Amino acid sequence: ILENMADVSLKEAALIVGVVAACYWNSLFCGFVFDDVSAILDNKDLHPSTPLKNLFQNDFWGTPMSEERSHKSYRPLTVLTFRLNYLFSELNAVSYHFLNLVFHVVVCIVFLKVCKLFLDSRSSIVASLLFAVHPIHTEAVTGVVGRAELLSSIFFLAAFLSYTKSKGPDNSIVWTPIAVTVFLVAVATLCKEQGITVVGICCVYEVFIAQGYTLPVLLDTAVQILRGKGSIPFSMLQTLLKLIVLMFSTLLLVVIRVQVIQSQLPVFTRFDNPAAVSPSPARQLTFNYLLPVNAWLLLNPSELCCDWTMGTIPLVESLLDIRNVATLTFFCFLGSLVVFSLRYPGDSSKTVLMALCLIVLPFIPASNLFFPVGFVVAERVLYVPSMGFCILVAHGWKKLSNKSVLRKISWVCLAAVLLTHALKTLHRNWDWESEYTLFMSALKVNKNNAKLWNNVGHALENEKNFERALQFFIQATQVQPDDIGAHMNVGRTYKNLNKTKEAEESYMIAKSLMPQIIPGKKYAARVAPNHLNVYINLANLIRANDSRLEEADQLYRQAISMRPDFKQAYISRGELLLKMNKPLKAKEAYLRALELDRTNADLWYNLAIVYIELKDPTEALKNFNRALELNPTHKLALFNSALLMQESGDARLRPEARQRLLHYVKEEPQDANGYFNLGMLAMDDKKDSEAEAWMKKAIRLQPNFRSALFNLALLYSQTAKELMALPVLEDLLRYYPDHTKGLILKGDILMNQKKDIVGAKKCFEKILELDPNNVQGKHNLCVVYFEERDLIKAEKCLVETLALAPHEEYIHRHLNIVRSKIASLSAAEQPSLPADRTVSAAAEEKKNSFQNQKEVKNEQKTTRTAVDNNKVHSKSKKQTEKNSVDKETPKKSAKEIKDIEKKRVAALKRLEEIERILNGD
């Protein structure tokens, strides 16, 4: 390429760079839109963690070529450049757009070199400038996925330039350029499939340009040979040899390409390309009419659209359709150019011939004439054909400018065309700024394409603007009433708006449009596989009603029966079976899904959840670890495996649990659960200051975090910072007034630290309002009565408490102490209650209350929800739900049990001391 560019002067290259930069500078401010989402954002092949070999096993979108849903677009070298972008800037769209711009500059400069083979220097610059500014190229240059066209074009042109050097002195063959050509053709094809068509251009060049034959000469020679009046000239034999080598190499590439796609064509629906499934003559008439439509886009690129599928171009169903006139006119014009270029010798005919080759041959794979493609019209596939168009225009302009009468007007017209095209390109770039702007601009051109209405709805849906999105989705169903995806979109949006009845109705309409199950027949051959998600979405909707779980399971099984390799159906069914308390069947569903895809981290995660339900934490942890091996940043696996390690009570697992939680908070810095559980780990390790810091961080992120508030207060009370616990408890009780343990702890602190008997009494009375049978609250209220010198009431209260917990020895002892006190006072003939304040009883109660509080331990927030990978949107996008459950931790480690026993022993010793004091009073 560098050698070929050597003939281009620095001024010419600088001019092209300046013009391209002026037209495409604003493309740097565009994001990832439309197909970029699937090819870039959702494509795991870009990630450094993905083995490089996967690029050569998967299609352009990251789907294995062996899978039926693959588009069979094999462009590993293009994906490799995306991967390099990701390596340097991850998902920063600017770098991707900048590299596209650079590639477009390279194409323009190499194209200038090609033009100089057939045009004079001035006309070559005109052709190159027109190519540089043509608005039809915005999809290829500003759309990131258009890089396939750019890269393929670079090697396409380089292969052609290399072949032009294969003719040596005396018409000899120079094999090195031919070998280089074959290599560059292979590289171009690995960037995009149409790269292989350069071989046809090389053949035409060899016969009609390099050897200088015309069609009449070839026909005359053929006739003479057939009549036996002559032999094949040596020069023609050499030409045949070169063509045979080229064609054999091409055939080899085609065979390899067919092997790569495993002899399967991609599956497209009638919505992608309606004419492809239409009967004759509508199929032929429509496909032929599309040729003048594409030519008109090159000639007048005023109305550009990013998507021409579905009803954009109505079918030509009759010979009487007026549009057939356009088809006829196009073929007449094309035929006249072909006749002129093949029949007459001279530079002009050669220029026209090569221009026609560049227009026609690269367009053949996208023409639908030999095999159906997944679109009706696509502007980006006109990138290479537009080169031939630009050569024709420049050649015509040269003819006009050479006439003195038309010279000035030809320059004025040229300047006007270049300026208007440049301004249109600059304006068109802004359409690619976001998905909303792109699809809204398309709707201005075409309102009969339901896909565009759907895509605007998706863009609004991503912005959480569900009301407006619903309007566009409904419009899509009106434009195309049999569009299953549109009805699914309506249903999903109704669900997001919490209108479940309307959502179910829409899903039922979509389901009614599905084909009936035909045993033994491949479902994907009759409808798009993603339409099967209607069963998943409907089942997900109705399973919210516990009385309809069996109905939901029937829908999942129906989807599986239509497509046994439908992985998502197994995943969703497994989640449902867990909800139905059928963990063994859920395990079977996930194991079946893992047979289909063992590299799916979510599946291993879900299987771990099943093992938790089966009370098998060892297997659960193994599966969490498998998920993390496949995806080290799997957030739920990090979080829940850390919790599992923490709950195991095994101190050896705590360091790893801490590392996983630290990794989790790095991935999810705004999730308070991560910080809270780090705090719980620190509490277990007796790292009080660290625990305090983590708890405070959790509360800052979520001020009403119930478990974090309570455990921070408990931490303060355990570390002799009871007064610091009070404001925390105030916050807790403001959010959760019925938090029993918080009320007990607050009452304990008020009575024993603040000496606020009234405040403590309110706390304990509140507990008994919430739960009259709460032994701890009742006992503590008895102590309050004792502190208030109301021994009779204290005695009655303790009797009632003893009835609730007849086996608690400390209640028996306290009741005996109160009765002894009453008896001693009676013996001293003091009918009124004592005036002295029994502080020791308060001290005793502090220890007893605190002891019972520690036995309760703490609350802990856990997350154990199976992942649902439902892909209903364009793009095809994965969703993960996470439902936290705030609950008391039912399990305690052996160390915790020992700590509790130590505290119980200490409390009993103190209790004996208190009893001695009371008895001696």
Side-chain angles (χ1 to χ4, degrees):
I1 295 174
L2 292 174
E3 181 184 348
N4 291 325
M5 289 169 59
D7 292 338
V8 177
S9 70
L10 188 60
K11 288 183 179 179
E12 292 169 338
L15 175 63
I16 289 173
V17 170
V19 169
V20 171
C23 289
Y24 286 100
W25 63 268
N26 56 339
S27 69
L28 300 179
F29 300 97
C30 298
F32 295 115
V33 297
F34 203 14
D35 290 340
D36 297 347
V37 176
S38 299
I40 308 297
L41 300 183
D42 298 338
N43 192 348
K44 292 182 180 179
D45 287 347
L46 272 63
H47 301 170
S49 58
T50 303
L52 271 175
K53 66 177 183 179
N54 284 24
L55 273 65
F56 296 90
Q57 296 172 347
N58 299 342
D59 67 12
F60 188 52
W61 317 98
T63 306
M65 294 291 288
S66 57
E67 291 193 12
E68 192 173 320
R69 62 192 176 94
S70 170
H71 281 208
K72 312 301 180 184
S73 46
Y74 188 66
R75 304 163 192 171
L77 296 186
T78 303
V79 179
L80 183 61
T81 65
F82 292 152
R83 186 170 173 130
L84 290 174
N85 271 120
Y86 189 92
L87 185 64
F88 288 106
S89 63
E90 293 195 350
L91 295 176
N92 180 2
V94 175
S95 73
Y96 293 79
H97 288 293
F98 178 75
L99 197 53
N100 271 24
L101 194 153
V102 170
F103 287 144
H104 184 51
V105 169
V106 174
V107 173
C108 292
I109 294 175
V110 180
F111 177 56
L112 175 58
K113 169 62 180 172
V114 172
C115 291
K116 289 186 175 185
L117 295 175
F118 313 110
L119 297 169
D120 59 33
S121 182
R122 187 173 63 182
S123 301
S124 297
I125 293 174
V126 169
S128 185
L129 289 177
L130 180 58
F131 179 80
V133 303
H134 203 295
I136 202 74
H137 299 156
T138 51
E139 184 170 341
V141 181
T142 309
V144 177
V145 294
R147 186 178 298 177
E149 263 74 25
L150 305 176
L151 282 172
S152 180
S153 299
I154 292 172
F155 296 106
F156 179 102
L157 295 174
F160 176 69
L161 287 172
S162 176
Y163 186 80
T164 60
K165 298 177 181 178
S166 64
K167 181 180 177 181
D170 301 323
N171 207 24
S172 60
I173 301 175
V174 184
W175 289 106
T176 302
I178 295 177
V180 172
T181 297
V182 172
F183 172 75
L184 291 172
V185 169
V187 174
T189 306
L190 290 174
C191 293
K192 191 176 182 184
E193 297 79 0
Q194 70 181 28
I196 202 169
T197 60
V198 72
V199 173
I201 295 173
C202 291
C203 291
V204 173
Y205 173 83
E206 177 66 31
V207 174
F208 296 100
I209 310 299
Q211 301 302 327
Y213 296 121
T214 61
L215 190 59
V217 171
L218 289 175
L219 290 174
D220 184 61
T221 304
V223 169
Q224 293 296 326
I225 293 171
L226 290 173
R227 289 180 177 178
K229 294 182 179 180
S231 60
I232 302 176
F234 180 72
S235 60
M236 191 172 286
L237 286 173
Q238 285 187 310
T239 301
L240 283 173
L241 180 60
K242 291 171 72 174
L243 296 184
I244 289 170
V245 170
L246 271 182
M247 297 308 295
F248 179 79
S249 302
T250 304
L251 183 62
L252 184 62
L253 286 174
V254 170
V255 169
I256 294 172
R257 183 70 174 82
V258 170
Q259 289 296 317
V260 166
I261 67 172
Q262 301 185 0
S263 302
Q264 293 179 340
L265 286 175
V267 177
F268 298 116
T269 70
R270 60 189 177 86
F271 298 117
D272 297 320
N273 190 348
V277 294
S278 300
S280 298
R283 176 189 173 97
Q284 289 76 19
L285 291 175
T286 303
F287 283 156
N288 282 286
Y289 171 67
L290 294 179
L291 300 178
V293 169
N294 281 280
W296 181 249
L297 287 174
L298 289 174
L299 193 62
N300 179 28
S302 59
E303 292 188 339
L304 299 177
C305 181
C306 63
D307 192 294
W308 295 80
T309 56
M310 304 189 86
T312 303
I313 299 177
L315 296 173
V316 182
E317 299 179 298
S318 168
L319 290 170
L320 300 177
D321 194 309
I322 191 66
R323 290 175 291 173
N324 289 319
V325 175
T327 305
L328 188 61
T329 304
F330 170 77
F331 277 108
C332 287
F333 180 71
L334 183 65
S336 63
L337 288 177
V338 171
V339 170
F340 169 77
S341 62
L342 293 177
R343 184 171 183 179
Y344 302 104
D347 292 340
S348 183
S349 61
K350 291 179 180 179
T351 301
V352 171
L353 178 60
M354 293 311 300
L356 289 176
C357 286
L358 281 168
I359 293 173
V360 174
L361 294 179
F363 185 72
I364 286 176
S367 65
N368 284 288
L369 298 177
F370 296 99
F371 49 84
V373 294
F375 53 83
V376 179
V377 173
E379 293 164 12
R380 62 177 176 268
V381 302
L382 294 175
Y383 189 77
V384 176
S386 68
M387 295 178 185
F389 171 79
C390 292
I391 290 175
L392 275 182
V393 172
H395 183 57
W397 174 83
K398 173 189 172 184
K399 295 289 187 184
L400 292 175
S401 63
N402 285 340
K403 297 180 180 180
S404 58
V405 180
L406 300 174
R407 182 173 297 148
K408 288 184 179 180
I409 194 169
S410 66
W411 278 101
V412 171
C413 290
L414 175 65
V417 168
L418 291 176
L419 180 61
T420 54
H421 278 47
L423 291 175
K424 173 65 178 177
T425 298
L426 191 65
H427 181 265
R428 174 67 172 155
N429 288 334
W430 289 121
D431 291 341
W432 293 80
E433 184 177 11
S434 68
E435 295 211 317
Y436 179 77
T437 57
L438 179 64
F439 297 125
M440 285 301 291
S441 71
L443 280 176
K444 294 175 184 176
V445 175
N446 171 31
K447 291 182 169 57
N448 296 321
N449 186 340
K451 190 175 178 181
L452 293 175
W453 293 99
N454 279 320
N455 285 336
V456 175
H458 286 309
L460 291 167
E461 187 180 34
N462 291 336
E463 297 173 0
K464 308 299 182 185
N465 193 344
F466 298 120
E467 293 286 355
R468 282 198 67 202
L470 182 62
Q471 297 172 13
F472 284 90
F473 289 142
I474 290 175
Q475 182 63 34
T477 63
Q478 294 171 355
V479 170
Q480 190 86 37
D482 58 349
D483 183 2
I484 297 172
H487 290 287
M488 290 168 64
N489 291 336
V490 172
R492 187 180 63 257
T493 309
Y494 273 130
K495 182 184 178 184
N496 289 331
L497 291 170
N498 295 318
K499 296 181 179 180
T500 54
K501 181 181 177 183
E502 292 87 346
E504 185 173 348
E505 289 173 357
S506 297
Y507 285 141
M508 291 302 292
I509 294 172
K511 183 172 175 283
S512 69
L513 294 171
M514 298 286 284
Q516 297 300 312
I517 301 175
I518 302 175
K521 187 166 182 179
K522 293 189 77 173
Y523 179 67
R526 294 175 290 124
V527 72
N530 64 330
H531 286 168
L532 278 171
N533 280 323
V534 67
Y535 294 97
I536 306 300
N537 291 358
L538 181 57
N540 290 346
L541 180 71
I542 66 176
R543 79 182 194 187
N545 183 344
D546 289 343
S547 65
R548 301 181 69 183
L549 296 182
E550 288 293 344
E551 186 181 346
D553 189 35
Q554 175 63 30
L555 287 167
Y556 291 136
R557 284 185 279 126
Q558 188 173 354
I560 291 170
S561 68
M562 297 180 91
R563 190 179 177 101
D565 62 345
F566 189 22
K567 179 178 62 181
Q568 184 54 46
Y570 293 105
I571 294 172
S572 298
R573 184 167 185 250
E575 187 179 346
L576 175 68
L577 290 169
L578 275 178
K579 185 176 181 180
M580 296 170 71
N581 197 26
K582 297 179 180 179
L584 289 175
K585 286 189 175 181
K587 177 183 171 183
E588 290 177 11
Y590 287 133
L591 288 174
R592 178 71 182 92
L594 280 168
E595 289 176 13
L596 300 171
D597 183 7
R598 298 190 68 80
T599 62
N600 189 319
D602 292 330
L603 284 175
W604 291 105
Y605 169 82
N606 285 358
L607 190 58
I609 298 299
V610 170
Y611 279 114
I612 288 176
E613 295 297 323
L614 291 171
K615 312 297 186 210
D616 190 345
T618 304
E619 281 299 316
L621 190 56
K622 286 180 182 177
N623 285 283
F624 279 139
N625 291 340
R626 285 296 300 273
L628 290 171
E629 286 173 13
L630 293 167
N631 181 8
T633 61
H634 195 291
K635 298 171 188 175
L636 287 175
L638 286 169
F639 183 81
N640 284 290
S641 62
L643 284 190
L644 198 61
M645 292 174 176
Q646 184 180 359
E647 291 175 0
S648 70
D650 188 346
R652 294 171 298 177
L653 295 177
R654 285 182 194 162
E656 178 61 23
R658 185 175 184 276
Q659 288 302 314
R660 293 189 182 187
L661 286 173
L662 287 172
H663 194 166
Y664 176 78
V665 297
K666 182 180 178 181
E667 296 292 327
E668 285 285 344
Q670 298 303 311
D671 186 0
N673 290 308
Y675 301 103
F676 167 72
N677 283 285
L678 279 167
M680 297 302 298
L681 271 176
M683 286 180 70
D684 291 340
D685 289 334
K686 306 302 179 186
K687 298 177 180 178
D688 298 333
S689 58
E690 183 181 331
E692 179 184 357
W694 289 125
M695 292 294 182
K696 285 182 175 179
K697 184 71 177 289
I699 293 167
R700 278 198 298 273
L701 289 171
Q702 187 180 331
N704 64 339
F705 197 154
R706 173 187 173 112
S707 302
L709 287 166
F710 175 75
N711 280 286
L712 179 59
L714 188 60
L715 177 65
Y716 285 141
S717 70
Q718 289 175 333
T719 53
K721 299 177 182 177
E722 288 89 346
L723 295 182
M724 292 178 67
L726 274 179
V728 179
L729 289 168
E730 292 291 345
D731 290 340
L732 173 66
L733 295 171
R734 184 172 71 253
Y735 291 117
Y736 308 100
D738 57 348
H739 196 288
T740 304
K741 297 181 185 64
L743 288 167
I744 288 176
L745 187 56
K746 181 182 177 184
D748 175 70
I749 294 171
L750 287 175
M751 184 165 63
N752 296 295
Q753 300 298 322
K754 299 281 286 184
K755 309 304 180 185
D756 183 357
I757 304 300
V758 176
K761 185 176 182 181
K762 288 180 181 179
C763 291
F764 301 138
E765 287 175 342
K766 175 69 174 177
I767 294 169
L768 294 179
E769 285 178 19
L770 298 170
D771 179 13
N773 296 324
N774 187 290
V775 175
Q776 186 63 47
K778 185 82 171 175
H779 174 269
N780 288 3
L781 185 61
C782 300
V783 175
V784 170
Y785 293 150
F786 188 90
E787 291 291 331
E788 291 178 337
R789 311 184 196 90
D790 192 341
L791 298 182
I792 302 301
K793 201 169 185 178
E795 181 189 21
K796 181 183 176 183
C797 177
L798 285 168
V799 170
E800 293 172 355
T801 306
L802 189 62
L804 295 174
H807 302 295
E808 290 289 349
E809 294 183 7
Y810 72 92
I811 300 176
H812 280 284
R813 286 199 296 273
H814 291 179
L815 179 59
N816 290 335
I817 290 171
V818 171
R819 283 175 174 169
S820 298
K821 186 70 174 177
I822 292 172
S824 64
L825 290 174
S826 298
E829 295 181 349
Q830 295 181 5
S832 61
L833 292 176
D836 61 312
R837 197 158 179 268
T838 317
V839 178
S840 56
E844 170 195 350
E845 177 49 32
K846 172 185 176 182
K847 289 296 178 182
N848 189 55
S849 173
F850 203 55
Q851 164 202 340
N852 284 276
Q853 189 70 42
K854 292 296 173 55
E855 289 173 7
V856 173
K857 192 67 171 74
N858 55 51
E859 302 174 337
Q860 186 162 329
K861 198 162 189 175
T862 61
T863 305
R864 291 183 181 174
T865 305
V867 178
D868 183 1
N869 288 325
N870 202 344
K871 294 183 181 178
V872 174
H873 44 71
S874 59
K875 175 145 182 265
S876 315
K877 164 165 180 257
K878 189 189 292 184
Q879 293 182 339
T880 302
E881 298 177 358
K882 184 163 65 172
N883 300 322
S884 297
V885 179
D886 186 12
K887 62 179 183 179
E888 310 297 327
T889 302
K891 301 177 182 178
K892 294 184 177 62
S893 66
K895 191 173 187 303
E896 288 173 338
I897 294 172
K898 289 180 182 178
D899 289 342
I900 291 170
E901 288 303 320
K902 288 180 182 178
K903 291 168 184 173
R904 186 185 293 276
V905 170
L908 288 174
K909 287 182 180 178
R910 183 62 186 271
L911 186 60
E912 291 172 0
E913 180 185 349
I914 292 169
E915 288 170 354
R916 282 198 300 272
I917 294 171
L918 289 173
N919 288 331
D921 187 7

